Amino acid sequence: MATTVLSNDTHRALAVDTAARREYGDLVNRTLALSYEFNDLHKEFPILLMRTDEAPGFVGHAILGFDRDENLFVESDRWTSSHVPAMLARGPFSLGLFRAGEGADAPVDLKIMVDESSPRLRADGQPVFLPLGGETPYLERMKRVLQAIDAGRRIDQILYPELVALDLIEEIKVEIAVYDELRYDFSGYYSINQEKFAALSGEQLHRLHRQGLLGPVHFLISSLGNFQKLINLKIARLQAA
């Protein structure tokens, strides 16, 4: 990987293929889901939690398919969903953290980075800069995606410790029957214990609301209804094969 700071001087002719292709890593059955975008994700994808050994202890996963390398929301190299999870939408871009000086108290500057070795960089793709050096609508959209990733990571650091402290996270097993002879089990995942959530005191609910965490909890719960959408998409794909 050759990642460098994006510059309209160095990358004046940079263009990105925005198609969803296997070689770009888009055909996956799950992807990292950040709490900042739960509001968008829960309308289309099931969101499950997975325990990690690193802080904040859990991460969210948007479920995109059942089988390995299966993304049921991609048809003919295009996403059919109205929202694309940020970690897949970002393409070859990421955020780099730079300190303007020595020491932990030095101001932090975030810069857009581009992976110059990415196969998405193609001359016939979406231009990143305008001919005179301004930003294209595509780059403006990528900035919003990267801001969502940055905000999501920061909110995750608050959300999951709060849910653990309130004992709201429980391990679940999701059993899916597409047909009688075609079944899938999602094990090792976690979600919200709805009974414990409903039993929270007014003070506890207010604390979640005050921190902006009440919405993500509701979105996690409501997203589970999207497994039926996945089943319907799977059946449609099998019938079209």
Side-chain angles (χ1 to χ4, degrees):
M1 181 182 293
T3 303
T4 186
V5 176
L6 182 68
S7 164
N8 59 4
D9 291 326
T10 306
H11 303 107
R12 180 70 59 87
L14 194 71
V16 179
D17 182 8
T18 59
R21 306 183 193 276
R22 182 180 301 276
E23 58 266 33
Y24 299 159
D26 293 307
L27 300 190
V28 291
N29 62 5
R30 61 205 70 190
T31 188
L32 188 66
L34 298 161
S35 52
Y36 183 82
E37 60 175 342
F38 281 1
N39 183 35
D40 294 310
L41 293 172
H42 89 284
K43 301 170 185 175
E44 303 187 79
F45 312 101
I47 306 171
L48 298 175
L49 305 180
M50 176 167 278
R51 187 183 293 276
T52 69
D53 293 330
E54 300 177 358
F58 287 89
V59 295
H61 281 182
I63 308 302
L64 310 177
F66 296 117
D67 291 310
R68 182 181 177 87
D69 300 330
E70 175 184 68
N71 187 337
L72 294 170
F73 295 88
V74 169
E75 292 285 350
S76 301
D77 297 336
R78 290 290 180 269
W79 284 84
T80 60
S81 56
S82 60
H83 180 78
V84 178
M87 294 301 292
L88 295 179
R90 68 177 179 168
F93 302 108
S94 60
L95 284 176
L97 187 150
F98 296 85
R99 291 195 178 276
E102 300 291 336
D105 295 331
V108 173
D109 190 17
L110 291 175
K111 296 182 182 294
I112 297 179
M113 312 294 291
V114 59
D115 177 10
E116 294 181 331
S117 65
S118 170
R120 283 190 180 275
L121 303 186
R122 295 173 46 161
D124 59 348
Q126 290 280 344
V128 176
F129 293 105
L130 297 171
L132 297 181
E135 298 178 356
T136 61
Y138 169 69
L139 179 54
E140 292 175 352
R141 180 163 60 87
M142 289 302 99
K143 280 187 171 182
R144 292 193 294 271
V145 169
L146 294 175
Q147 288 167 356
I149 293 173
D150 179 56
R153 285 174 170 159
R154 286 187 280 110
I155 296 172
D156 282 0
Q157 295 294 326
I158 303 171
L159 173 65
Y160 296 122
E162 279 287 344
L163 298 184
V164 169
L166 292 171
D167 195 27
L168 291 181
I169 298 180
E170 67 173 354
E171 187 170 5
I172 64 171
K173 183 175 182 180
V174 180
E175 298 178 337
I176 301 295
V178 177
Y179 297 121
D180 287 341
E181 66 277 12
L182 183 60
R183 296 175 176 270
Y184 298 93
D185 291 336
F186 288 81
S187 57
Y189 274 110
Y190 295 76
S191 190
I192 302 298
N193 184 310
Q194 297 184 43
E195 291 184 1
K196 291 183 178 180
F197 178 60
L200 290 181
S201 68
E203 181 180 346
Q204 290 170 321
L205 289 171
H206 181 67
R207 175 179 170 83
L208 289 174
H209 174 71
R210 190 173 62 247
Q211 297 181 90
L213 305 179
L214 200 53
V217 174
H218 282 295
F219 299 146
L220 278 168
I221 294 171
S222 64
S223 76
L224 298 180
N226 290 320
F227 272 110
Q228 185 58 54
K229 176 183 288 187
L230 278 185
I231 293 172
N232 295 340
L233 289 171
K234 180 67 171 181
I235 291 174
R237 182 162 296 188
L238 290 172
Q239 292 176 341

